[in-house]
Amino acid sequence: MEFEQVIAHCKALKKEVEQLGDSDGAKLKGLKARIYDFLSKVGGPNNTFVKQVSSVESTVTSYQKNVVSEVLSSFIAHMENGLVGGISPKRQAELDVVSDLLEQANTLLENPKVHSAAPAVLIGATLEEFLRAWVEEEGLSLGGKKPSLDSYCKTLREEELITKQDVKDITAWSGIRNHAAHGEWSEVEDRARIRLMLEGVNLFIRQKTA
């Protein structure tokens, strides 16, 4: 969803809240669910705005309506200041580096003189860097686990920031990276397989930063 669309949708939800009548408790409950879902998708499931909305009771009073309305107003201001979704200038710079590294991997993959193990290692390292930065941005602890692609993956899953399917995909990509890093050439000589890895990692990162 584009920035302007997010702002417009926020304002539309805010207007709906403000137009609720005293007997519209059911509507407020439904609106809260829609707002919760929207803010979770745009700003992440653990952001402060989501928590504020979920704490509001579903009985319609001027106070309850004002709280939800102000949460949406604050979220709009947060968006306009470029802080939505936890994408700080530092995080954006990290994402730019990740994008550049994946482009380099694509260039290597298209060069028939370069063994496909090289882009496989680079793709895996890029994915690990993306997950590391994500864990750091969320302020999460590895709980004593050694920093690695696997530990970052488990930490994000524990916080439900990634799905079970994401974990399966990351585990598969990690396996390919490890084959390449350990010189197990027969496991990584299929360029089509590495191409699928690149496309999968690209899609995963785009989805998690949308």
Side-chain angles (χ1 to χ4, degrees):
M1 187 178 288
E2 297 296 328
F3 178 82
E4 293 79 8
Q5 292 176 308
V6 171
I7 295 293
H9 192 58
C10 253
K11 290 181 177 179
L13 289 170
K14 184 174 182 291
K15 185 176 181 180
E16 283 190 62
V17 171
E18 293 169 349
Q19 291 177 339
L20 290 172
D22 292 341
S23 61
D24 289 335
K27 286 186 178 180
L28 178 58
K29 189 173 183 179
L31 258 176
K32 275 183 56 184
R34 287 165 53 200
I35 293 169
Y36 184 98
D37 182 64
F38 172 70
L39 295 180
S40 294
K41 288 179 178 176
V42 177
N46 295 321
N47 75 76
T48 303
F49 303 98
V50 167
K51 293 176 182 177
Q52 287 295 324
V53 170
S54 63
S55 69
V56 175
E57 295 180 5
S58 296
T59 52
V60 181
T61 65
S62 295
Y63 173 75
Q64 308 294 10
K65 289 197 298 182
N66 287 340
V67 170
V68 177
S69 178
E70 284 305 311
V71 168
L72 289 169
S73 293
S74 297
F75 187 75
I76 291 170
H78 204 57
M79 281 277 298
E80 292 174 338
N81 287 328
L83 300 174
V84 69
I87 305 297
S88 63
K90 176 177 179 291
R91 177 65 165 142
Q92 187 58 58
E94 290 168 339
L95 292 175
D96 289 341
V97 170
V98 165
S99 179
D100 289 342
L101 289 173
L102 288 179
E103 185 57 38
Q104 290 178 33
N106 183 60
T107 299
L108 290 174
L109 194 54
E110 291 181 343
N111 187 344
K113 295 182 180 180
V114 176
H115 195 285
S116 51
V121 169
L122 184 54
I123 296 165
T126 303
L127 175 61
E128 182 171 339
E129 172 57 21
F130 172 73
L131 297 182
R132 181 205 62 75
W134 190 359
V135 166
E136 181 181 292
E137 189 73 13
E138 293 288 340
L140 304 177
S141 169
L142 295 181
K145 296 189 289 288
K146 181 181 178 181
S148 67
L149 203 160
D150 181 63
S151 61
Y152 297 136
C153 176
K154 287 180 179 178
T155 299
L156 291 167
R157 177 57 192 155
E158 286 168 1
E159 295 296 320
E160 297 187 350
L161 293 173
I162 59 176
T163 66
K164 290 182 180 180
Q165 184 58 53
D166 291 332
V167 173
K168 289 180 181 179
D169 291 337
I170 292 170
T171 300
W173 296 327
S174 177
I176 295 173
R177 192 272 295 269
N178 289 339
H179 286 312
H182 296 147
E184 297 168 356
W185 311 124
S186 62
E187 297 290 339
V188 290
E189 61 186 5
D190 184 353
R191 303 186 86 83
R193 186 185 184 197
I194 309 306
R195 169 63 62 187
L196 286 174
M197 178 187 182
L198 175 60
E199 293 173 352
V201 170
N202 248 321
L203 178 60
F204 170 78
I205 291 175
R206 286 201 305 273
Q207 289 176 333
K208 301 310 177 184
T209 56

mmCIF file with all atom_site columns, all heavy atoms in Angstrom, residues 8-32:
data_model
loop_
_atom_site.group_PDB
_atom_site.id
_atom_site.type_symbol
_atom_site.label_atom_id
_atom_site.label_alt_id
_atom_site.label_comp_id
_atom_site.label_asym_id
_atom_site.label_entity_id
_atom_site.label_seq_id
_atom_site.pdbx_PDB_ins_code
_atom_site.Cartn_x
_atom_site.Cartn_y
_atom_site.Cartn_z
_atom_site.occupancy
_atom_site.B_iso_or_equiv
_atom_site.pdbx_formal_charge
_atom_site.auth_seq_id
_atom_site.auth_comp_id
_atom_site.auth_asym_id
_atom_site.auth_atom_id
_atom_site.pdbx_PDB_model_num
ATOM 1   N N   . ALA A 1 8  ? -4.794  8.070  3.610  1.00 0.00 ? 8  ALA A N   1
ATOM 2   C CA  . ALA A 1 8  ? -6.210  8.208  3.274  1.00 0.00 ? 8  ALA A CA  1
ATOM 3   C C   . ALA A 1 8  ? -7.059  7.184  4.031  1.00 0.00 ? 8  ALA A C   1
ATOM 4   O O   . ALA A 1 8  ? -8.147  7.511  4.534  1.00 0.00 ? 8  ALA A O   1
ATOM 5   C CB  . ALA A 1 8  ? -6.406  8.055  1.763  1.00 0.00 ? 8  ALA A CB  1
ATOM 6   N N   . HIS A 1 9  ? -6.561  5.948  4.115  1.00 0.00 ? 9  HIS A N   1
ATOM 7   C CA  . HIS A 1 9  ? -7.312  4.897  4.816  1.00 0.00 ? 9  HIS A CA  1
ATOM 8   C C   . HIS A 1 9  ? -7.404  5.215  6.308  1.00 0.00 ? 9  HIS A C   1
ATOM 9   O O   . HIS A 1 9  ? -8.445  4.998  6.944  1.00 0.00 ? 9  HIS A O   1
ATOM 10  C CB  . HIS A 1 9  ? -6.658  3.542  4.595  1.00 0.00 ? 9  HIS A CB  1
ATOM 11  C CG  . HIS A 1 9  ? -7.498  2.383  5.030  1.00 0.00 ? 9  HIS A CG  1
ATOM 12  N ND1 . HIS A 1 9  ? -8.758  2.140  4.520  1.00 0.00 ? 9  HIS A ND1 1
ATOM 13  C CD2 . HIS A 1 9  ? -7.278  1.397  5.946  1.00 0.00 ? 9  HIS A CD2 1
ATOM 14  C CE1 . HIS A 1 9  ? -9.276  1.073  5.091  1.00 0.00 ? 9  HIS A CE1 1
ATOM 15  N NE2 . HIS A 1 9  ? -8.399  0.600  5.967  1.00 0.00 ? 9  HIS A NE2 1
ATOM 16  N N   . CYS A 1 10 ? -6.312  5.734  6.874  1.00 0.00 ? 10 CYS A N   1
ATOM 17  C CA  . CYS A 1 10 ? -6.299  6.113  8.289  1.00 0.00 ? 10 CYS A CA  1
ATOM 18  C C   . CYS A 1 10 ? -7.350  7.192  8.561  1.00 0.00 ? 10 CYS A C   1
ATOM 19  O O   . CYS A 1 10 ? -8.092  7.119  9.549  1.00 0.00 ? 10 CYS A O   1
ATOM 20  C CB  . CYS A 1 10 ? -4.919  6.671  8.654  1.00 0.00 ? 10 CYS A CB  1
ATOM 21  S SG  . CYS A 1 10 ? -3.935  5.558  9.658  1.00 0.00 ? 10 CYS A SG  1
ATOM 22  N N   . LYS A 1 11 ? -7.396  8.172  7.694  1.00 0.00 ? 11 LYS A N   1
ATOM 23  C CA  . LYS A 1 11 ? -8.343  9.273  7.868  1.00 0.00 ? 11 LYS A CA  1
ATOM 24  C C   . LYS A 1 11 ? -9.782  8.787  7.726  1.00 0.00 ? 11 LYS A C   1
ATOM 25  O O   . LYS A 1 11 ? -10.676 9.262  8.444  1.00 0.00 ? 11 LYS A O   1
ATOM 26  C CB  . LYS A 1 11 ? -8.044  10.383 6.857  1.00 0.00 ? 11 LYS A CB  1
ATOM 27  C CG  . LYS A 1 11 ? -6.747  11.134 7.154  1.00 0.00 ? 11 LYS A CG  1
ATOM 28  C CD  . LYS A 1 11 ? -6.480  12.238 6.143  1.00 0.00 ? 11 LYS A CD  1
ATOM 29  C CE  . LYS A 1 11 ? -5.223  13.021 6.519  1.00 0.00 ? 11 LYS A CE  1
ATOM 30  N NZ  . LYS A 1 11 ? -4.916  14.091 5.529  1.00 0.00 ? 11 LYS A NZ  1
ATOM 31  N N   . ALA A 1 12 ? -10.000 7.835  6.819  1.00 0.00 ? 12 ALA A N   1
ATOM 32  C CA  . ALA A 1 12 ? -11.348 7.290  6.637  1.00 0.00 ? 12 ALA A CA  1
ATOM 33  C C   . ALA A 1 12 ? -11.792 6.522  7.877  1.00 0.00 ? 12 ALA A C   1
ATOM 34  O O   . ALA A 1 12 ? -12.944 6.643  8.322  1.00 0.00 ? 12 ALA A O   1
ATOM 35  C CB  . ALA A 1 12 ? -11.370 6.383  5.409  1.00 0.00 ? 12 ALA A CB  1
ATOM 36  N N   . LEU A 1 13 ? -10.884 5.744  8.467  1.00 0.00 ? 13 LEU A N   1
ATOM 37  C CA  . LEU A 1 13 ? -11.198 5.007  9.693  1.00 0.00 ? 13 LEU A CA  1
ATOM 38  C C   . LEU A 1 13 ? -11.475 5.969  10.844 1.00 0.00 ? 13 LEU A C   1
ATOM 39  O O   . LEU A 1 13 ? -12.394 5.765  11.638 1.00 0.00 ? 13 LEU A O   1
ATOM 40  C CB  . LEU A 1 13 ? -10.032 4.076  10.058 1.00 0.00 ? 13 LEU A CB  1
ATOM 41  C CG  . LEU A 1 13 ? -9.826  2.850  9.160  1.00 0.00 ? 13 LEU A CG  1
ATOM 42  C CD1 . LEU A 1 13 ? -8.502  2.160  9.492  1.00 0.00 ? 13 LEU A CD1 1
ATOM 43  C CD2 . LEU A 1 13 ? -10.982 1.861  9.304  1.00 0.00 ? 13 LEU A CD2 1
ATOM 44  N N   . LYS A 1 14 ? -10.685 7.017  10.916 1.00 0.00 ? 14 LYS A N   1
ATOM 45  C CA  . LYS A 1 14 ? -10.851 8.027  11.967 1.00 0.00 ? 14 LYS A CA  1
ATOM 46  C C   . LYS A 1 14 ? -12.241 8.676  11.856 1.00 0.00 ? 14 LYS A C   1
ATOM 47  O O   . LYS A 1 14 ? -12.931 8.889  12.867 1.00 0.00 ? 14 LYS A O   1
ATOM 48  C CB  . LYS A 1 14 ? -9.754  9.081  11.838 1.00 0.00 ? 14 LYS A CB  1
ATOM 49  C CG  . LYS A 1 14 ? -9.739  10.140 12.924 1.00 0.00 ? 14 LYS A CG  1
ATOM 50  C CD  . LYS A 1 14 ? -8.501  11.025 12.746 1.00 0.00 ? 14 LYS A CD  1
ATOM 51  C CE  . LYS A 1 14 ? -8.409  12.067 13.849 1.00 0.00 ? 14 LYS A CE  1
ATOM 52  N NZ  . LYS A 1 14 ? -9.452  13.090 13.768 1.00 0.00 ? 14 LYS A NZ  1
ATOM 53  N N   . LYS A 1 15 ? -12.654 8.977  10.634 1.00 0.00 ? 15 LYS A N   1
ATOM 54  C CA  . LYS A 1 15 ? -13.966 9.593  10.413 1.00 0.00 ? 15 LYS A CA  1
ATOM 55  C C   . LYS A 1 15 ? -15.087 8.646  10.841 1.00 0.00 ? 15 LYS A C   1
ATOM 56  O O   . LYS A 1 15 ? -16.078 9.068  11.450 1.00 0.00 ? 15 LYS A O   1
ATOM 57  C CB  . LYS A 1 15 ? -14.126 9.971  8.942  1.00 0.00 ? 15 LYS A CB  1
ATOM 58  C CG  . LYS A 1 15 ? -15.407 10.732 8.630  1.00 0.00 ? 15 LYS A CG  1
ATOM 59  C CD  . LYS A 1 15 ? -15.444 11.163 7.171  1.00 0.00 ? 15 LYS A CD  1
ATOM 60  C CE  . LYS A 1 15 ? -16.719 11.946 6.874  1.00 0.00 ? 15 LYS A CE  1
ATOM 61  N NZ  . LYS A 1 15 ? -16.768 12.381 5.442  1.00 0.00 ? 15 LYS A NZ  1
ATOM 62  N N   . GLU A 1 16 ? -14.923 7.352  10.535 1.00 0.00 ? 16 GLU A N   1
ATOM 63  C CA  . GLU A 1 16 ? -15.929 6.362  10.932 1.00 0.00 ? 16 GLU A CA  1
ATOM 64  C C   . GLU A 1 16 ? -16.073 6.304  12.450 1.00 0.00 ? 16 GLU A C   1
ATOM 65  O O   . GLU A 1 16 ? -17.176 6.209  12.982 1.00 0.00 ? 16 GLU A O   1
ATOM 66  C CB  . GLU A 1 16 ? -15.552 4.973  10.400 1.00 0.00 ? 16 GLU A CB  1
ATOM 67  C CG  . GLU A 1 16 ? -15.821 4.766  8.918  1.00 0.00 ? 16 GLU A CG  1
ATOM 68  C CD  . GLU A 1 16 ? -15.662 3.309  8.520  1.00 0.00 ? 16 GLU A CD  1
ATOM 69  O OE1 . GLU A 1 16 ? -16.412 2.461  9.046  1.00 0.00 ? 16 GLU A OE1 1
ATOM 70  O OE2 . GLU A 1 16 ? -14.759 3.015  7.709  1.00 0.00 ? 16 GLU A OE2 1
ATOM 71  N N   . VAL A 1 17 ? -14.947 6.360  13.143 1.00 0.00 ? 17 VAL A N   1
ATOM 72  C CA  . VAL A 1 17 ? -14.965 6.318  14.606 1.00 0.00 ? 17 VAL A CA  1
ATOM 73  C C   . VAL A 1 17 ? -15.706 7.541  15.147 1.00 0.00 ? 17 VAL A C   1
ATOM 74  O O   . VAL A 1 17 ? -16.562 7.432  16.047 1.00 0.00 ? 17 VAL A O   1
ATOM 75  C CB  . VAL A 1 17 ? -13.528 6.288  15.174 1.00 0.00 ? 17 VAL A CB  1
ATOM 76  C CG1 . VAL A 1 17 ? -13.548 6.477  16.691 1.00 0.00 ? 17 VAL A CG1 1
ATOM 77  C CG2 . VAL A 1 17 ? -12.849 4.968  14.831 1.00 0.00 ? 17 VAL A CG2 1
ATOM 78  N N   . GLU A 1 18 ? -15.397 8.693  14.611 1.00 0.00 ? 18 GLU A N   1
ATOM 79  C CA  . GLU A 1 18 ? -15.977 9.933  15.118 1.00 0.00 ? 18 GLU A CA  1
ATOM 80  C C   . GLU A 1 18 ? -17.473 10.038 14.845 1.00 0.00 ? 18 GLU A C   1
ATOM 81  O O   . GLU A 1 18 ? -18.186 10.777 15.531 1.00 0.00 ? 18 GLU A O   1
ATOM 82  C CB  . GLU A 1 18 ? -15.233 11.125 14.503 1.00 0.00 ? 18 GLU A CB  1
ATOM 83  C CG  . GLU A 1 18 ? -13.786 11.226 14.986 1.00 0.00 ? 18 GLU A CG  1
ATOM 84  C CD  . GLU A 1 18 ? -12.961 12.222 14.195 1.00 0.00 ? 18 GLU A CD  1
ATOM 85  O OE1 . GLU A 1 18 ? -13.451 12.689 13.138 1.00 0.00 ? 18 GLU A OE1 1
ATOM 86  O OE2 . GLU A 1 18 ? -11.832 12.530 14.626 1.00 0.00 ? 18 GLU A OE2 1
ATOM 87  N N   . GLN A 1 19 ? -17.969 9.281  13.854 1.00 0.00 ? 19 GLN A N   1
ATOM 88  C CA  . GLN A 1 19 ? -19.387 9.334  13.502 1.00 0.00 ? 19 GLN A CA  1
ATOM 89  C C   . GLN A 1 19 ? -20.234 8.318  14.256 1.00 0.00 ? 19 GLN A C   1
ATOM 90  O O   . GLN A 1 19 ? -21.446 8.267  14.097 1.00 0.00 ? 19 GLN A O   1
ATOM 91  C CB  . GLN A 1 19 ? -19.556 9.122  11.990 1.00 0.00 ? 19 GLN A CB  1
ATOM 92  C CG  . GLN A 1 19 ? -19.029 10.289 11.150 1.00 0.00 ? 19 GLN A CG  1
ATOM 93  C CD  . GLN A 1 19 ? -19.144 10.038 9.657  1.00 0.00 ? 19 GLN A CD  1
ATOM 94  O OE1 . GLN A 1 19 ? -19.239 8.879  9.218  1.00 0.00 ? 19 GLN A OE1 1
ATOM 95  N NE2 . GLN A 1 19 ? -19.122 11.098 8.872  1.00 0.00 ? 19 GLN A NE2 1
ATOM 96  N N   . LEU A 1 20 ? -19.614 7.504  15.111 1.00 0.00 ? 20 LEU A N   1
ATOM 97  C CA  . LEU A 1 20 ? -20.354 6.501  15.875 1.00 0.00 ? 20 LEU A CA  1
ATOM 98  C C   . LEU A 1 20 ? -21.315 7.150  16.869 1.00 0.00 ? 20 LEU A C   1
ATOM 99  O O   . LEU A 1 20 ? -20.978 8.156  17.511 1.00 0.00 ? 20 LEU A O   1
ATOM 100 C CB  . LEU A 1 20 ? -19.388 5.587  16.638 1.00 0.00 ? 20 LEU A CB  1
ATOM 101 C CG  . LEU A 1 20 ? -18.549 4.603  15.803 1.00 0.00 ? 20 LEU A CG  1
ATOM 102 C CD1 . LEU A 1 20 ? -17.523 3.929  16.701 1.00 0.00 ? 20 LEU A CD1 1
ATOM 103 C CD2 . LEU A 1 20 ? -19.435 3.574  15.130 1.00 0.00 ? 20 LEU A CD2 1
ATOM 104 N N   . GLY A 1 21 ? -22.493 6.550  16.995 1.00 0.00 ? 21 GLY A N   1
ATOM 105 C CA  . GLY A 1 21 ? -23.464 7.022  17.967 1.00 0.00 ? 21 GLY A CA  1
ATOM 106 C C   . GLY A 1 21 ? -23.352 6.258  19.269 1.00 0.00 ? 21 GLY A C   1
ATOM 107 O O   . GLY A 1 21 ? -22.607 5.276  19.379 1.00 0.00 ? 21 GLY A O   1
ATOM 108 N N   . ASP A 1 22 ? -24.099 6.678  20.285 1.00 0.00 ? 22 ASP A N   1
ATOM 109 C CA  . ASP A 1 22 ? -24.014 6.059  21.606 1.00 0.00 ? 22 ASP A CA  1
ATOM 110 C C   . ASP A 1 22 ? -24.445 4.593  21.622 1.00 0.00 ? 22 ASP A C   1
ATOM 111 O O   . ASP A 1 22 ? -24.069 3.842  22.522 1.00 0.00 ? 22 ASP A O   1
ATOM 112 C CB  . ASP A 1 22 ? -24.881 6.843  22.596 1.00 0.00 ? 22 ASP A CB  1
ATOM 113 C CG  . ASP A 1 22 ? -24.317 8.230  22.857 1.00 0.00 ? 22 ASP A CG  1
ATOM 114 O OD1 . ASP A 1 22 ? -23.118 8.438  22.578 1.00 0.00 ? 22 ASP A OD1 1
ATOM 115 O OD2 . ASP A 1 22 ? -25.070 9.096  23.329 1.00 0.00 ? 22 ASP A OD2 1
ATOM 116 N N   . SER A 1 23 ? -25.248 4.193  20.634 1.00 0.00 ? 23 SER A N   1
ATOM 117 C CA  . SER A 1 23 ? -25.737 2.803  20.604 1.00 0.00 ? 23 SER A CA  1
ATOM 118 C C   . SER A 1 23 ? -24.977 1.933  19.613 1.00 0.00 ? 23 SER A C   1
ATOM 119 O O   . SER A 1 23 ? -25.419 0.847  19.255 1.00 0.00 ? 23 SER A O   1
ATOM 120 C CB  . SER A 1 23 ? -27.233 2.787  20.249 1.00 0.00 ? 23 SER A CB  1
ATOM 121 O OG  . SER A 1 23 ? -27.445 3.358  18.959 1.00 0.00 ? 23 SER A OG  1
ATOM 122 N N   . ASP A 1 24 ? -23.816 2.415  19.164 1.00 0.00 ? 24 ASP A N   1
ATOM 123 C CA  . ASP A 1 24 ? -23.056 1.706  18.127 1.00 0.00 ? 24 ASP A CA  1
ATOM 124 C C   . ASP A 1 24 ? -21.901 0.876  18.695 1.00 0.00 ? 24 ASP A C   1
ATOM 125 O O   . ASP A 1 24 ? -20.815 0.806  18.106 1.00 0.00 ? 24 ASP A O   1
ATOM 126 C CB  . ASP A 1 24 ? -22.509 2.702  17.096 1.00 0.00 ? 24 ASP A CB  1
ATOM 127 C CG  . ASP A 1 24 ? -23.592 3.294  16.223 1.00 0.00 ? 24 ASP A CG  1
ATOM 128 O OD1 . ASP A 1 24 ? -24.633 2.637  16.069 1.00 0.00 ? 24 ASP A OD1 1
ATOM 129 O OD2 . ASP A 1 24 ? -23.400 4.404  15.691 1.00 0.00 ? 24 ASP A OD2 1
ATOM 130 N N   . GLY A 1 25 ? -22.143 0.230  19.825 1.00 0.00 ? 25 GLY A N   1
ATOM 131 C CA  . GLY A 1 25 ? -21.089 -0.577 20.442 1.00 0.00 ? 25 GLY A CA  1
ATOM 132 C C   . GLY A 1 25 ? -20.589 -1.689 19.531 1.00 0.00 ? 25 GLY A C   1
ATOM 133 O O   . GLY A 1 25 ? -19.390 -1.955 19.444 1.00 0.00 ? 25 GLY A O   1
ATOM 134 N N   . ALA A 1 26 ? -21.506 -2.337 18.829 1.00 0.00 ? 26 ALA A N   1
ATOM 135 C CA  . ALA A 1 26 ? -21.114 -3.430 17.926 1.00 0.00 ? 26 ALA A CA  1
ATOM 136 C C   . ALA A 1 26 ? -20.254 -2.903 16.793 1.00 0.00 ? 26 ALA A C   1
ATOM 137 O O   . ALA A 1 26 ? -19.278 -3.541 16.373 1.00 0.00 ? 26 ALA A O   1
ATOM 138 C CB  . ALA A 1 26 ? -22.363 -4.117 17.371 1.00 0.00 ? 26 ALA A CB  1
ATOM 139 N N   . LYS A 1 27 ? -20.628 -1.717 16.293 1.00 0.00 ? 27 LYS A N   1
ATOM 140 C CA  . LYS A 1 27 ? -19.848 -1.120 15.202 1.00 0.00 ? 27 LYS A CA  1
ATOM 141 C C   . LYS A 1 27 ? -18.439 -0.755 15.675 1.00 0.00 ? 27 LYS A C   1
ATOM 142 O O   . LYS A 1 27 ? -17.466 -0.925 14.936 1.00 0.00 ? 27 LYS A O   1
ATOM 143 C CB  . LYS A 1 27 ? -20.555 0.124  14.668 1.00 0.00 ? 27 LYS A CB  1
ATOM 144 C CG  . LYS A 1 27 ? -21.783 -0.172 13.831 1.00 0.00 ? 27 LYS A CG  1
ATOM 145 C CD  . LYS A 1 27 ? -22.344 1.116  13.228 1.00 0.00 ? 27 LYS A CD  1
ATOM 146 C CE  . LYS A 1 27 ? -23.550 0.821  12.344 1.00 0.00 ? 27 LYS A CE  1
ATOM 147 N NZ  . LYS A 1 27 ? -24.109 2.063  11.751 1.00 0.00 ? 27 LYS A NZ  1
ATOM 148 N N   . LEU A 1 28 ? -18.342 -0.248 16.912 1.00 0.00 ? 28 LEU A N   1
ATOM 149 C CA  . LEU A 1 28 ? -17.023 0.099  17.436 1.00 0.00 ? 28 LEU A CA  1
ATOM 150 C C   . LEU A 1 28 ? -16.158 -1.146 17.566 1.00 0.00 ? 28 LEU A C   1
ATOM 151 O O   . LEU A 1 28 ? -14.957 -1.113 17.265 1.00 0.00 ? 28 LEU A O   1
ATOM 152 C CB  . LEU A 1 28 ? -17.156 0.779  18.808 1.00 0.00 ? 28 LEU A CB  1
ATOM 153 C CG  . LEU A 1 28 ? -15.825 1.141  19.494 1.00 0.00 ? 28 LEU A CG  1
ATOM 154 C CD1 . LEU A 1 28 ? -14.995 2.057  18.606 1.00 0.00 ? 28 LEU A CD1 1
ATOM 155 C CD2 . LEU A 1 28 ? -16.077 1.794  20.850 1.00 0.00 ? 28 LEU A CD2 1
ATOM 156 N N   . LYS A 1 29 ? -16.761 -2.243 17.999 1.00 0.00 ? 29 LYS A N   1
ATOM 157 C CA  . LYS A 1 29 ? -16.015 -3.502 18.126 1.00 0.00 ? 29 LYS A CA  1
ATOM 158 C C   . LYS A 1 29 ? -15.477 -3.937 16.772 1.00 0.00 ? 29 LYS A C   1
ATOM 159 O O   . LYS A 1 29 ? -14.310 -4.339 16.644 1.00 0.00 ? 29 LYS A O   1
ATOM 160 C CB  . LYS A 1 29 ? -16.917 -4.580 18.708 1.00 0.00 ? 29 LYS A CB  1
ATOM 161 C CG  . LYS A 1 29 ? -16.186 -5.869 19.072 1.00 0.00 ? 29 LYS A CG  1
ATOM 162 C CD  . LYS A 1 29 ? -17.106 -6.832 19.807 1.00 0.00 ? 29 LYS A CD  1
ATOM 163 C CE  . LYS A 1 29 ? -16.356 -8.086 20.240 1.00 0.00 ? 29 LYS A CE  1
ATOM 164 N NZ  . LYS A 1 29 ? -17.230 -9.026 20.980 1.00 0.00 ? 29 LYS A NZ  1
ATOM 165 N N   . GLY A 1 30 ? -16.322 -3.846 15.730 1.00 0.00 ? 30 GLY A N   1
ATOM 166 C CA  . GLY A 1 30 ? -15.881 -4.202 14.382 1.00 0.00 ? 30 GLY A CA  1
ATOM 167 C C   . GLY A 1 30 ? -14.823 -3.251 13.866 1.00 0.00 ? 30 GLY A C   1
ATOM 168 O O   . GLY A 1 30 ? -13.844 -3.667 13.224 1.00 0.00 ? 30 GLY A O   1
ATOM 169 N N   . LEU A 1 31 ? -15.006 -1.957 14.154 1.00 0.00 ? 31 LEU A N   1
ATOM 170 C CA  . LEU A 1 31 ? -14.026 -0.949 13.725 1.00 0.00 ? 31 LEU A CA  1
ATOM 171 C C   . LEU A 1 31 ? -12.673 -1.187 14.386 1.00 0.00 ? 31 LEU A C   1
ATOM 172 O O   . LEU A 1 31 ? -11.625 -1.072 13.751 1.00 0.00 ? 31 LEU A O   1
ATOM 173 C CB  . LEU A 1 31 ? -14.530 0.447  14.081 1.00 0.00 ? 31 LEU A CB  1
ATOM 174 C CG  . LEU A 1 31 ? -15.122 1.286  12.948 1.00 0.00 ? 31 LEU A CG  1
ATOM 175 C CD1 . LEU A 1 31 ? -15.670 2.596  13.500 1.00 0.00 ? 31 LEU A CD1 1
ATOM 176 C CD2 . LEU A 1 31 ? -14.102 1.541  11.870 1.00 0.00 ? 31 LEU A CD2 1
ATOM 177 N N   . LYS A 1 32 ? -12.710 -1.520 15.670 1.00 0.00 ? 32 LYS A N   1
ATOM 178 C CA  . LYS A 1 32 ? -11.463 -1.800 16.391 1.00 0.00 ? 32 LYS A CA  1
ATOM 179 C C   . LYS A 1 32 ? -10.707 -2.944 15.727 1.00 0.00 ? 32 LYS A C   1
ATOM 180 O O   . LYS A 1 32 ? -9.472  -2.884 15.576 1.00 0.00 ? 32 LYS A O   1
ATOM 181 C CB  . LYS A 1 32 ? -11.757 -2.156 17.843 1.00 0.00 ? 32 LYS A CB  1
ATOM 182 C CG  . LYS A 1 32 ? -11.893 -0.985 18.795 1.00 0.00 ? 32 LYS A CG  1
ATOM 183 C CD  . LYS A 1 32 ? -12.112 -1.464 20.219 1.00 0.00 ? 32 LYS A CD  1
ATOM 184 C CE  . LYS A 1 32 ? -11.017 -2.390 20.675 1.00 0.00 ? 32 LYS A CE  1
ATOM 185 N NZ  . LYS A 1 32 ? -11.251 -2.955 22.021 1.00 0.00 ? 32 LYS A NZ  1
#
